[in-house]
Amino acid sequence: MIKVVILIGGPMKGTRFRPLSLELPKPLFPIGGFPVVYHHIEACKKIPDLKEIILIGFYQSSESLSRFIQNAQQEFNIPIRYLQEFQPLGTAGGIYHFRDQIAMGDPEAFLVLNADIIGDYPLIDFSSLRMISSNLNFHQQANKKQAHNFGCLVQDPETHKVLHYVEKPETFVSEIINCGIYIFSPAALFKLMGEIIQKNYQKMSEEPFPGNVESVRMGEDVLATLASAGSLYAFKSSSFWSSIKNAGSAIYANRNVLAMYHKTHPDLLAQSGKGQPHIRGDVYIHPSAVVHPSAVLGPNVSVGSNVVIGAGARVRETILLDGAELKDHCCILYSIIGWNCSIGMWSRVEGSRCDPNPNEEFSRPDGESLFGEDGKLTPSITILGRNVTIPGEVIVLNSIVLPHKDLGQSYKNEIIL
Ligand code: GDD
Ligand code: GTP
C-alpha cells in the first residue's frame, strides 16, 4: 500500500507569486483551468494500491481549501486529508510531526510531492518502484547557469546511487536537479528524522535564541544525510517538468499543461466552430464563460469560470481568472488577469514573455526576482490582482497591479500599489 504527501506550504510562502497568492493559497492557483494540486492528485490517482493523499501545510483551513479537498475526494474517489502544522516546520518537519498519520495502515512507501511543481509526472511506473526498498529522488537536467536555483545531486551513472546532494549550491555542483518528488520508505526515514531532531535539540540548547527544534529541511537535512549514508537513489524523468515559483512561470506551466491535454484530456481543449470564438492553438474555456464569436483566443490561454469576453477581443498566452470581464476589442497578451477584473474597450494589457531561453539546452523559466541588479523591475508578464478596473483605451505594459485598484491612465514597467 502506498500513500502520498503533498507539501503545500503556507501564507508566508509564495511571496514571488504576489499579489495573486494574497488571495488564494498558491497550490490552488489554476493552471490549464484546474488548481495546481488538482493535477498532482489526478496523477497520483493512477498509482496502484494508493491508500490516501495527505496535504501538509500551515495555511489556516479556509473555505476554498476545504471545498477543493471535498470536491477532489468525490471526483477521484480517494481519501484526501489536510494536516495543518502549528507553525512552519520546514520542507520536511511536517512529515515527521505527522509521522503517525502517515505510517497508519503500514504503507510500504510514501511519495512526497512539492506543491509548486507541475509536470507530466512519471508516476505510472510506481508499481515497479515499490520494489525498491531504499529512498528515491526524481531528478531532471538543468543548464549550468540555472542549476544553482535548485537542489543539485551527483549520482553514480551505473547504479544511480546519489553520491552527493547540495541544496541550492553557491558554486557549480551538477546539472542534475531535484524535482521535488521523492519516494521514501517510512521506517528508515522517520528514524533518520528523529536523529536530526535530536541533534537540533542538542545544538539549540547551546544557543541563546533557539529556533524551532522541530523544523527539518528536506534538502539540507534529509537528502544530504541520506546521500552521504548511501541510501538515496536518483530516478531520471525527462518528460515535461517545471517549478512554479513566480507568476511568469505560471504562464509557461499553463502552456505545457494545455499541450499535455492533447494526450490526456483532448475534450478540454476548445475548438473553433460556427458561432464559436476563433481559437488558435491550445485554449481551455470554462463551460460557464461567455465568449463573443468574434473574439480571437490563443495560443495558450485559460479562461476561468464566469469570464465574459466581448466582441473583437484578442487574448494570447494569458490566464483569465474567474469572473474577469474583457470588454469589446481589448487585447491581452502575456498576462494574468485577476478574479473579477474589468478591462475597458480598446485597452491593451501586455506583459513580456518569461520563457526559458530557447537557445540554451535544458533552460528553465527565469525571473527568480522581481528586480534586476540595476534595481529596475525585470520585464515580466503583467499581473492584475483581484477586482482591478482598467478603463477604456489605455495601455498597461509589464506592470503588476495590486488588488482593488481603479486605474485612470496608462502604465508601463510599474508596480501599482
Ligand atoms: N508543510 C510545509 N511546511 N510545506 C512547506 C514548508 C513548511 O514549512 N516550507 C515549504 N513548504 C513546501 C512549499 O509549499 C513547496 O511546495 C515545497 O515545500 C518546497 O518548498 P520551497 O522552500 O519553496 O523550496 P524550493 O521550491 O525553493 O526548492 C525545492 O524544490 C525544488 C524543485 O522545485 C527543493 O526541494 C529543491 O531541491 C528543488 O530543486
Ligand atoms: P509574435 O511574432 O509571436 O510576437 O506575434 P505577432 O506578430 O502575431 O504579434 P503580437 O505578439 O504583438 O500579437 C499577438 C496577437 O495579438 C496577434 O494575433 C495580433 O494580431 C493580435 N494583436 C496585437 N495587438 C492587438 C490589438 O491591439 N488588438 C487586437 N484585437 N489584436 C491585437
Side-chain angles (χ1 to χ4, degrees):
M1 178 246 281
I2 300 264
K3 290 201 184 184
V4 170
V5 171
I6 306 177
L7 299 170
I8 66 166
M12 278 135 70
K13 289 264 160 192
T15 49
R16 282 173 286 177
F17 216 72
R18 285 181 186 157
L20 301 164
S21 56
L22 297 174
E23 301 281 337
L24 185 83
K26 181 170 132 183
L28 296 187
F29 187 81
I31 301 288
F34 296 86
V36 184
V37 261
Y38 177 95
H39 296 286
H40 291 57
I41 295 170
E42 188 182 37
C44 290
K45 178 67 188 156
K46 298 191 185 111
I47 301 172
D49 209 10
L50 175 70
K51 180 79 179 164
E52 85 173 323
I53 297 177
I54 300 175
L55 312 184
I56 300 184
F58 51 97
Y59 289 101
Q60 289 291 342
S61 191
S62 62
E63 201 208 315
S64 53
L65 189 58
S66 315
R67 194 163 4 105
F68 167 76
I69 292 175
Q70 211 174 358
N71 291 345
Q73 282 201 103
Q74 268 174 8
E75 182 172 346
F76 295 110
N77 192 23
I78 179 92
I80 305 173
R81 281 192 295 155
Y82 173 52
L83 301 179
Q84 192 191 335
E85 292 165 23
F86 56 95
Q87 57 177 304
L89 295 177
T91 37
I95 295 176
Y96 188 71
H97 186 79
F98 294 114
R99 61 191 177 284
D100 292 345
Q101 306 275 349
I102 297 170
M104 201 190 294
D106 206 14
E108 306 143 71
F110 67 103
L111 174 77
V112 176
L113 294 166
N114 286 358
D116 57 357
I117 54 163
I118 195 124
D120 196 354
Y121 310 94
L123 305 182
I124 303 140
D125 297 336
F126 278 166
S127 48
S128 51
L129 295 179
R130 269 194 299 169
M131 312 308 280
I132 297 170
S133 57
S134 209
N135 305 298
L136 203 66
N137 182 189
F138 286 69
H139 68 79
Q140 283 251 339
Q141 180 103 11
N143 71 32
K144 219 168 175 168
K145 271 193 263 171
Q146 293 176 313
H148 67 95
N149 295 324
F150 301 91
C152 293
L153 55 99
V154 180
Q155 62 163 336
D156 180 322
E158 298 289 312
T159 62
H160 303 291
K161 186 186 270 194
V162 178
L163 305 172
H164 190 49
Y165 182 93
V166 191
E167 185 62 39
K168 306 198 180 90
E170 278 179 24
T171 53
F172 178 72
V173 168
S174 157
E175 288 167 3
I176 303 179
I177 58 162
N178 168 16
C179 293
I181 307 179
Y182 323 92
I183 300 177
F184 293 116
S185 60
L189 184 77
F190 296 148
K191 183 168 171 287
L192 171 80
M193 286 182 157
E195 288 161 9
I196 292 170
I197 287 178
Q198 198 57 42
K199 277 197 199 129
N200 278 357
Y201 266 112
Q202 277 161 9
K203 243 193 296 175
M204 287 185 190
S205 59
E206 294 149 20
E207 302 262 336
F209 302 106
N212 183 358
V213 283
E214 275 202 62
S215 173
V216 183
R217 298 161 303 175
M218 181 62 88
E220 298 88 329
D221 299 330
V222 176
L223 300 179
T225 313
L226 285 173
S228 57
S231 47
L232 183 65
Y233 285 82
F235 180 88
K236 183 166 182 167
S237 142
S238 37
S239 43
F240 163 68
W241 173 88
S242 179
S243 58
I244 308 173
K245 289 291 156 204
N246 49 25
S249 50
I251 295 289
Y252 173 70
N254 188 57
R255 180 189 318 157
N256 282 285
V257 166
L258 292 175
M260 286 190 308
Y261 285 169
H262 283 282
K263 198 173 61 180
T264 57
H265 294 292
D267 51 310
L268 292 178
L269 293 168
Q271 306 290 336
S272 298
K274 208 164 174 278
Q276 299 292 323
H278 188 84
I279 303 293
R280 291 190 184 168
D282 299 338
V283 174
Y284 165 81
I285 304 177
H286 190 277
S288 63
V290 179
V291 187
H292 194 277
S294 64
V296 182
L297 310 187
N300 308 320
V301 170
S302 286
V303 179
S305 66
N306 302 311
V307 166
V308 177
I309 301 180
R314 175 74 179 99
V315 189
R316 171 177 169 164
E317 302 281 351
T318 287
I319 298 175
L320 303 173
L321 298 174
D322 301 351
E325 185 189 7
L326 312 192
K327 301 220 168 114
D328 298 355
H329 308 293
C330 67
C331 176
I332 319 281
L333 312 171
Y334 289 98
S335 299
I336 296 179
I337 306 300
W339 305 271
N340 301 332
C341 283
S342 165
I343 315 292
M345 276 167 93
W346 297 102
S347 274
R348 184 179 181 98
V349 177
E350 181 169 354
S352 299
R353 48 163 82 211
C354 300
D355 295 347
N357 185 342
N359 300 318
E360 284 180 7
E361 215 185 355
F362 303 120
S363 181
R364 311 219 158 256
D366 236 338
E368 281 292 308
S369 78
L370 217 49
F371 299 96
E373 279 165 13
D374 53 2
K376 287 194 183 144
L377 192 63
T378 315
S380 184
I381 65 159
T382 286
I383 306 166
L384 308 186
R386 177 188 287 276
N387 206 16
V388 167
T389 305
I390 308 268
E393 300 182 28
V394 300
I395 299 181
V396 179
L397 202 60
N398 292 347
S399 295
I400 297 175
V401 186
L402 265 70
H404 310 292
K405 297 300 295 182
D406 213 339
L407 302 194
Q409 58 175 79
S410 295
Y411 287 93
K412 184 179 172 187
N413 301 336
E414 278 196 52
I415 297 182
I416 302 152
L417 299 170

